Amino acid sequence: MTEVKQAAIQSHTDLEAIVATILDESKQQGASAAEAGVNAENGLSVTVRLGEVETVEHNRDKGLGVTVYFGQRKGSASTSDFSREAIRETVGAACAIAKYTAEDPCAGLADAERMATQIPDLDLFHPWVLSAEHAIELATECEAAAQAVDKRITNSEGATVSSHAGNRVYGNSHGFLGAYRSSRHSVSCAVIADDGHGMQRDYWYTVARDSDDMEAVRSVGQRAGERTVRRLGGKRLSTRQSPVLFMADVAGGLFGNFVRAVRGESLYRKSSFLLDQLGEKIFPEFMHIHEQPHLKKALGSAPFDSEGVTTQARDLIAAGVLQGYVLDSYAARKLGMQTTGNAGGVHNLTIDPGSHDLAGLLKEMGRGLLVTEMMGMGVNIVTGDYSRGAAGFWVENGAIQYPVEEITIAGNLRDMFKGIVAVGNDVETRGNTRTGSVLIERMTIAGT
């Protein structure tokens, strides 16, 4: 196979010039204020299934978005065409929308004094010189390692190797212009096992800014195979109440629900079970939840948010007490508060770990359910009611006994948060939430 080289990513200088053109065009068309974001990305993704190449995808994506304000009337438009004529038409479309929208007293750019004045180097850009041939070799090795785990692994959803790198530039009519480059690389594998009584599927993956920081492809495959085989012979449980231990790679979803409940949009719409809880105890006293937006190489790091506001380390929960909300400038104005630099979301949400590893948490739980997979979207942020399909393992005397499947775990997030007994030191770092496994004192398990 002939190698297809990835095209060079457009430079910061080129993208900054485009942002400047957008802002100048917005002013010429009568906008009182404007903001623009431009991004360009190149990537390669290869999937091998059952030893055969299934897909080879090279992508070169780019796009720009502009938001204009006529006083407190707002309009937005976007395009993937960077030509001068396309920019003029896109700005024109945004202006036309703004002229026909109602005034909103909370609309507008983030306050000028909140703009980032320094852009720290967060070590986010590590391009991987990866040919399609090499990516195929890595994917093939990964899948083969999974299949070699056990002869009961009879099928595969494939192994995928991906590499992406890009530039992002944001500017607004306050005079702010910020840019940073980033990369993201991953290897994943999913296989299927059959013991004659039923089939099971599981997976594993690794992801990092720097390819040197990823788990070895053979290890990814082996873990995918081992995770799949251990699910064979799954049983259903009878309906009961018991402790529940969420493994680290699924525990992040619990704290994602917490963030949803303290987001400005949920609060000003009065659609959160944590409405008016600022300063109240939400979690046990040992819990500390905070943002770390400037961690080197971390997947959630960013020097500024999508409005140009500087990101900063801050507590959301200290000693179990809610310290602050997650706000962009619009939500902050609706609530009579200040933006927290969270336009676009939180950055490296971190839950401080305890002293136990997973084995220690299993011993502390003694008897209960270890959850390794979640299914469905049964979470009501308005009431806090929680009900989701799950799979995992039943635990007795601190040791795994057998796999379980086709069950539902249920509770209320308010009770679940207060019922957290411990957070493990097996911290998951493959995403924007950094947490260990989480042990909850009691939940309802619905089964047979």
Side-chain angles (χ1 to χ4, degrees):
M1 180 182 294
T2 302
E3 177 180 345
V4 180
K5 293 184 178 179
Q6 296 182 41
I9 304 169
Q10 285 188 270
S11 70
H12 278 168
T13 302
D14 291 341
L15 300 185
E16 287 171 354
I18 293 170
V19 170
T21 299
I22 295 170
L23 297 177
D24 182 64
E25 183 65 36
S26 299
K27 184 176 181 180
Q28 290 185 32
Q29 294 196 31
S32 56
E35 57 186 335
V38 180
N39 63 78
E41 178 185 280
N42 288 336
L44 168 68
S45 181
V46 167
T47 297
V48 170
R49 179 176 177 272
L50 298 176
E52 299 291 333
V53 178
E54 190 162 76
T55 60
V56 177
E57 298 179 359
H58 291 268
N59 70 284
R60 187 178 183 184
D61 298 327
K62 63 179 184 178
L64 65 85
V66 56
T67 297
V68 298
Y69 298 92
F70 284 72
Q72 292 176 312
R73 291 176 292 160
K74 171 185 173 181
S76 299
S78 62
T79 183
S80 59
D81 187 344
F82 286 2
S83 69
R84 184 60 188 257
E85 181 59 30
I87 290 173
R88 184 180 300 111
E89 291 177 355
T90 303
V91 172
C95 290
I97 293 169
K99 290 175 181 178
Y100 289 98
T101 58
E103 289 195 358
D104 185 337
C106 296
L109 302 176
D111 296 339
E113 62 270 20
R114 305 304 299 273
M115 296 294 103
T117 56
Q118 296 181 339
I119 310 298
D121 179 8
L122 302 180
D123 201 19
L124 305 180
F125 186 62
H126 294 269
W128 189 7
V129 181
L130 181 69
S131 68
E133 289 89 347
H134 189 206
I136 290 169
E137 291 172 0
L138 293 173
T140 301
E141 181 182 0
C142 182
E143 184 187 48
Q147 292 173 310
V149 168
D150 194 290
K151 64 182 180 181
R152 291 172 293 179
I153 295 176
T154 58
N155 206 341
S156 171
E157 292 184 1
T160 300
V161 175
S162 297
S163 173
H164 294 87
N167 287 346
R168 170 172 169 75
V169 177
Y170 169 84
N172 60 39
S173 48
H174 286 323
F176 175 83
L177 185 64
Y180 62 93
R181 299 182 296 178
S182 65
S183 56
R184 184 183 181 96
H185 317 294
S186 65
V187 177
S188 63
C189 183
V191 290
I192 299 166
D194 187 349
D195 63 356
H197 301 286
M199 292 188 293
Q200 294 290 345
R201 168 202 176 274
D202 215 322
Y203 67 96
W204 193 247
Y205 71 97
T206 182
V207 58
R209 298 285 190 185
D210 187 341
S211 61
D212 290 340
D213 296 333
M214 293 196 300
E215 193 174 340
V217 294
R218 183 175 294 276
S219 175
V220 172
Q222 288 175 340
R223 293 189 73 170
E226 291 165 357
R227 285 167 59 93
T228 300
V229 169
R230 71 179 185 174
R231 292 184 61 171
L232 289 171
K235 303 176 182 179
R236 294 188 68 185
L237 295 173
S238 60
T239 297
R240 65 187 72 184
Q241 288 195 334
S242 82
V244 173
L245 175 57
F246 291 82
M247 279 194 68
D249 54 337
V250 296
L254 293 174
F255 301 106
N257 292 319
F258 162 68
V259 171
R260 287 174 60 199
V262 296
R263 283 184 56 198
E265 182 179 359
S266 298
L267 297 169
Y268 72 70
R269 291 180 174 176
K270 300 187 183 301
S271 57
S272 168
F273 73 97
L274 292 181
L275 187 67
D276 299 325
Q277 293 297 297
L278 196 62
E280 298 295 326
K281 192 170 184 180
I282 307 298
F283 289 88
E285 191 168 346
F286 69 86
M287 291 289 292
H288 180 211
I289 303 176
H290 53 116
E291 284 190 87
Q292 300 186 89
H294 296 167
L295 289 177
K296 296 293 183 85
K297 287 189 174 182
L299 293 172
S301 294
F304 54 86
D305 74 359
S306 59
E307 295 179 317
V309 175
T310 186
T311 52
Q312 56 187 333
R314 70 187 191 100
D315 288 344
L316 274 74
I317 296 289
V321 175
L322 181 60
Q323 305 294 314
Y325 297 141
V326 176
L327 308 175
D328 59 15
S329 59
Y330 182 84
R333 289 171 187 143
K334 293 285 283 187
L335 295 168
M337 306 177 81
Q338 293 289 323
T339 176
T340 57
N342 290 118
V346 295
H347 305 282
N348 296 321
L349 187 73
T350 302
I351 294 81
D352 282 2
S355 58
H356 289 311
D357 59 10
L358 180 60
L361 289 177
L362 287 171
K363 289 180 181 178
E364 182 167 346
M365 179 171 68
R367 182 176 188 269
L369 176 68
L370 171 63
V371 174
T372 60
E373 184 176 6
M374 304 294 299
M375 293 151 280
M377 301 295 293
V379 182
N380 187 327
I381 292 299
V382 178
T383 63
D385 289 337
Y386 182 101
S387 178
R388 296 190 64 190
F393 299 88
W394 185 249
V395 175
E396 296 277 358
N397 299 317
I400 291 174
Q401 300 300 306
Y402 54 83
V404 296
E405 60 184 3
E406 297 183 21
I407 58 171
T408 299
I409 56 174
N412 185 277
L413 286 170
R414 189 186 297 273
D415 298 329
M416 291 164 63
F417 292 160
K418 289 182 177 179
I420 292 177
V421 175
V423 178
N425 60 19
D426 54 335
V427 178
E428 172 65 65
T429 60
R430 295 175 300 172
N432 192 32
T433 301
R434 305 166 76 88
T435 179
S437 298
V438 174
L439 176 59
I440 294 179
E441 184 177 26
R442 187 168 300 277
M443 292 183 68
T444 297
I445 302 172
T448 56

